[in-house]
Amino acid sequence: MRKKISLMVILLLILSGIVYLGYKLTETVWVSKEFVNHLYQYPLPPETIVLEKGQFNAKNWIDGGGNGGYWDVVSFMIASSELSRKEILMYYKDTELFPFPKSNQLGVELEIYFEDDQQKEEYNEGFYYRSKQGDIRFISSYFNDLGEIKNEGLTDETNENTNYIIQIHSGFSYFLQID
């Protein structure tokens, strides 16, 4: 009887170890999926449709990767709206920060790029967007200290649909940070 109990405890410990190791080896997939869903679940402005959405994640691929063992995650949506640029910016102005991957702490700010001021930076692992000047365009960068939209050639004309990209990106420490 004692042999059976010892054997069952050993088998249970081995099984627990296998389950834990399996979770840790797939952790980047689950954490990345949870992070990108924050953007996908954020409501769009009225009269706006999603043209495309996507996400990329891999080890140290944004901005050359640095020397740390971080897993970078990018989530984006390309949208088309009947609203003007100013109306779109006002809609997103008070967007709360998104949580960091693998955390409940808020701190990831929404980025927004309009069709004529964006460039796609492509890598083997995927791509992400920046302004034509290579800057990150956080939503807050469109507003001055008084909360007014900075005049950057934004018009209220709504003759055509306004195409824009919203994006979030961040990184997190992951299991087996092998470089």
Side-chain angles (χ1 to χ4, degrees):
M1 183 69 169
R2 206 175 261 199
K3 252 184 175 178
K4 273 188 175 182
I5 292 174
S6 296
L7 184 58
M8 289 178 82
V9 168
I10 290 171
L11 288 174
L12 186 59
L13 288 173
I14 290 172
L15 183 60
S16 297
I18 290 171
V19 168
Y20 177 76
L21 187 59
Y23 167 76
K24 283 301 196 177
L25 291 175
T26 60
E27 169 187 40
T28 54
V29 172
W30 298 109
V31 171
S32 297
K33 185 175 180 177
E34 182 180 341
F35 178 74
V36 302
N37 280 332
H38 289 296
L39 181 66
Y40 296 161
Q41 293 171 359
Y42 194 83
L44 292 172
E47 302 168 17
T48 301
I49 60 168
V50 173
L51 301 176
E52 180 182 346
K53 65 181 179 178
Q55 65 98 14
F56 299 101
N57 62 85
K59 183 173 115 9
N60 292 340
W61 66 282
I62 296 176
D63 291 333
N67 60 359
Y70 284 91
W71 196 262
D72 292 320
V73 185
V74 172
S75 176
F76 72 91
M77 288 196 303
I78 301 174
S80 181
S81 180
E82 293 178 23
L83 303 177
S84 71
R85 290 178 183 211
K86 288 183 179 182
E87 291 169 320
I88 292 167
L89 289 173
M90 291 308 293
Y91 177 84
Y92 290 110
K93 177 184 175 192
D94 295 322
T95 302
E96 291 186 15
L97 298 175
F98 292 89
F100 289 107
K102 225 169 112 175
S103 172
N104 289 327
Q105 181 181 355
L106 302 177
V108 178
E109 188 173 353
L110 181 71
E111 302 169 33
I112 186 165
Y113 304 93
F114 291 102
E115 190 172 42
D116 61 349
D117 183 30
Q118 59 84 15
Q119 65 181 358
K120 186 189 285 188
E121 295 197 8
E122 298 190 48
Y123 296 86
N124 291 336
E125 297 82 354
F127 61 83
Y128 62 97
Y129 292 95
R130 291 193 185 253
S131 73
K132 284 188 176 177
Q133 294 77 31
D135 301 332
I136 296 175
R137 290 296 214 138
F138 294 116
I139 189 68
S140 62
S141 69
Y142 289 92
F143 296 89
N144 63 23
D145 293 338
L146 301 174
E148 301 165 335
I149 296 176
K150 295 177 185 175
N151 187 5
E152 296 185 12
L154 300 174
T155 63
D156 274 330
E157 296 174 17
T158 56
N159 296 345
E160 294 183 20
N161 282 356
T162 304
N163 292 339
Y164 66 97
I165 299 159
I166 53 175
Q167 172 177 276
I168 56 175
H169 82 275
S170 188
F172 62 95
S173 179
Y174 66 100
F175 183 66
L176 292 179
Q177 300 172 0
I178 301 169
D179 285 337

